[in-house]
Amino acid sequence: MLPIGVLGSILVIVGRLIGQHRLDVGQLVVLIVATACWLYARFATRRRSALTADTGAIHLPTPMRDLYWNDVAHVQAPTRWSDVVRVVMNDGTEKPTGFPPEYAERLAAVGRKPLR
């Protein structure tokens, strides 16, 4: 609902700019507030959602791409200096999951991947 309101406000302001070749201070304030609300709704709330893992993927709480188990070769065993669990993808790259190191065995069991 909010993105529709933001889009409508932007279209009205752009239409008036094109038609009248000027921008009112009130319109500028509405545009800035609407854009800020939309950005908050789009990105800030997504970052707060929980980090989850199921048999399909590891769902990251950021706008980044989820880590699908089909693309994961194995879960790295945590070392003394590990801060998060890392997975090794089929192409050899390492990706952090965000899970604490004590969840490595559980994560490997959920994804049915070896812990190495």
Side-chain angles (χ1 to χ4, degrees):
M1 185 73 166
L2 184 64
I4 294 170
V6 171
L7 182 61
S9 299
I10 292 171
L11 289 175
V12 167
I13 292 171
V14 170
R16 287 192 178 179
L17 277 175
I18 293 170
Q20 299 174 1
H21 302 292
R22 65 184 179 92
L23 182 61
D24 196 313
V25 173
Q27 293 171 338
L28 183 61
V29 169
V30 167
L31 177 65
I32 290 171
V33 169
T35 303
C37 289
W38 179 77
L39 287 172
Y40 177 79
R42 174 69 179 98
F43 296 107
T45 56
R46 173 87 166 125
R47 279 195 303 263
R48 289 189 199 147
S49 63
L51 178 67
T52 59
D54 56 23
T55 56
I58 300 170
H59 305 286
L60 303 175
T62 59
M64 296 170 42
R65 183 176 163 263
D66 292 338
L67 301 173
Y68 294 98
W69 288 114
N70 293 336
D71 300 332
V72 173
H74 66 273
V75 178
Q76 278 191 339
T79 64
R80 181 177 181 187
W81 307 107
S82 297
D83 56 345
V84 294
V85 176
R86 295 184 179 275
V87 293
V88 176
M89 307 305 281
N90 290 331
D91 62 3
T93 60
E94 291 181 18
K95 304 253 179 166
T97 63
F99 283 98
E102 56 267 15
Y103 288 108
E105 286 183 40
R106 260 189 188 162
L107 201 57
V110 166
R112 295 184 205 97
K113 296 294 176 177
L115 182 66
R116 294 184 190 167

Coordinates of all heavy atoms in Angstrom, one line a residue, residues 75-79 82-86 97-108 115:
V75 N 29.4 -27.6 4.5 CA 29.4 -26.6 5.5 C 30.8 -26.7 6.2 O 31.2 -27.8 6.5 CB 28.3 -26.9 6.6 CG1 28.4 -25.9 7.8 CG2 26.9 -26.8 6.0
Q76 N 31.4 -25.6 6.4 CA 32.8 -25.6 7.0 C 32.6 -25.8 8.5 O 31.8 -25.2 9.2 CB 33.5 -24.3 6.7 CG 34.1 -24.2 5.4 CD 35.1 -23.0 5.3 OE1 34.9 -22.0 6.0 NE2 36.0 -23.0 4.4
A77 N 33.5 -26.6 9.0 CA 33.5 -26.9 10.5 C 34.1 -25.6 11.1 O 35.1 -25.0 10.6 CB 34.4 -28.1 10.8
P78 N 33.6 -25.2 12.2 CA 34.1 -24.0 12.8 C 35.5 -24.2 13.5 O 35.7 -25.3 13.9 CB 33.0 -23.6 13.9 CG 32.3 -24.9 14.2 CD 32.4 -25.7 12.9
T79 N 36.3 -23.2 13.4 CA 37.6 -23.2 14.0 C 37.5 -22.4 15.3 O 36.5 -21.8 15.6 CB 38.7 -22.6 13.1 OG1 38.4 -21.3 12.9 CG2 38.7 -23.4 11.8
S82 N 36.4 -18.8 14.4 CA 35.2 -18.6 13.6 C 34.3 -17.7 14.3 O 34.0 -17.9 15.5 CB 34.6 -19.9 13.3 OG 35.4 -20.7 12.5
D83 N 33.7 -16.7 13.6 CA 32.7 -15.9 14.2 C 31.3 -16.2 13.7 O 30.3 -16.0 14.3 CB 33.0 -14.4 13.9 CG 33.1 -14.1 12.5 OD1 33.3 -15.0 11.7 OD2 33.0 -12.9 12.1
V84 N 31.2 -16.8 12.5 CA 30.0 -17.3 11.9 C 30.2 -18.6 11.2 O 31.3 -18.9 10.8 CB 29.3 -16.3 10.9 CG1 28.9 -15.0 11.6 CG2 30.2 -16.0 9.8
V85 N 29.1 -19.3 10.9 CA 29.2 -20.5 10.1 C 29.4 -20.1 8.6 O 28.7 -19.2 8.2 CB 28.0 -21.4 10.2 CG1 28.0 -22.6 9.3 CG2 27.8 -21.8 11.7
R86 N 30.3 -20.7 7.9 CA 30.5 -20.5 6.5 C 30.2 -21.7 5.7 O 30.4 -22.8 6.2 CB 31.9 -20.0 6.2 CG 32.2 -18.7 6.9 CD 33.7 -18.3 6.5 NE 34.0 -17.0 7.1 CZ 33.6 -15.8 6.6 NH1 33.0 -15.8 5.5 NH2 33.9 -14.7 7.2
T97 N 27.0 -17.3 6.7 CA 25.6 -17.6 6.8 C 24.9 -16.6 7.8 O 23.8 -16.4 7.8 CB 25.3 -19.0 7.3 OG1 25.9 -19.2 8.5 CG2 25.8 -20.0 6.2
G98 N 25.7 -16.2 8.8 CA 25.2 -15.3 9.9 C 24.9 -16.1 11.1 O 24.7 -15.6 12.2
F99 N 24.9 -17.5 11.0 CA 24.6 -18.3 12.2 C 25.9 -18.4 13.0 O 27.0 -18.4 12.5 CB 24.2 -19.7 11.8 CG 22.8 -19.8 11.3 CD1 22.5 -19.8 9.9 CD2 21.8 -20.0 12.2 CE1 21.2 -19.9 9.5 CE2 20.5 -20.1 11.8 CZ 20.2 -20.1 10.4
P100 N 25.8 -18.4 14.4 CA 26.9 -18.5 15.2 C 27.6 -19.9 15.0 O 26.9 -20.9 14.6 CB 26.4 -18.4 16.6 CG 24.9 -18.3 16.5 CD 24.5 -18.2 15.1
P101 N 28.9 -20.0 15.3 CA 29.6 -21.3 15.0 C 29.1 -22.5 15.7 O 29.2 -23.6 15.2 CB 31.0 -21.0 15.5 CG 31.1 -19.6 16.1 CD 29.7 -19.0 15.9
E102 N 28.4 -22.3 16.8 CA 27.9 -23.5 17.5 C 26.7 -24.2 16.8 O 26.3 -25.3 17.1 CB 27.5 -23.2 19.0 CG 26.5 -22.1 19.1 CD 27.2 -20.7 19.4 OE1 28.4 -20.6 19.1 OE2 26.5 -19.8 19.8
Y103 N 26.2 -23.5 15.8 CA 25.1 -24.1 15.0 C 25.6 -24.8 13.7 O 24.7 -25.2 12.9 CB 24.1 -23.0 14.6 CG 23.3 -22.5 15.7 CD1 23.5 -21.2 16.2 CD2 22.3 -23.3 16.3 CE1 22.7 -20.7 17.3 CE2 21.5 -22.8 17.3 CZ 21.7 -21.5 17.8 OH 21.0 -21.1 18.9
A104 N 26.8 -25.0 13.5 CA 27.4 -25.6 12.3 C 26.9 -27.0 12.1 O 26.4 -27.4 11.0 CB 28.9 -25.6 12.3
E105 N 26.9 -27.8 13.1 CA 26.4 -29.2 13.0 C 24.9 -29.3 12.7 O 24.5 -30.0 11.8 CB 26.7 -30.0 14.3 CG 28.1 -30.3 14.5 CD 28.3 -31.2 15.7 OE1 27.5 -32.1 16.0 OE2 29.3 -30.9 16.4
R106 N 24.1 -28.5 13.3 CA 22.7 -28.4 13.1 C 22.4 -27.9 11.6 O 21.5 -28.5 11.0 CB 22.0 -27.4 14.0 CG 21.4 -28.0 15.2 CD 20.6 -26.8 15.8 NE 20.1 -27.2 17.1 CZ 19.7 -26.4 18.0 NH1 19.8 -25.1 17.8 NH2 19.2 -26.8 19.1
L107 N 23.1 -26.9 11.2 CA 22.9 -26.4 9.9 C 23.3 -27.4 8.8 O 22.6 -27.6 7.8 CB 23.8 -25.1 9.7 CG 23.4 -24.2 8.6 CD1 22.0 -23.7 8.8 CD2 24.4 -23.0 8.6
A108 N 24.4 -28.2 9.0 CA 24.7 -29.2 8.1 C 23.7 -30.3 8.1 O 23.4 -30.9 7.0 CB 26.1 -29.8 8.5
L115 N 29.9 -31.8 7.0 CA 30.5 -30.8 7.8 C 32.0 -31.1 7.7 O 32.5 -32.1 8.1 CB 30.1 -30.9 9.3 CG 30.7 -29.9 10.2 CD1 30.2 -28.5 9.9 CD2 30.3 -30.2 11.6

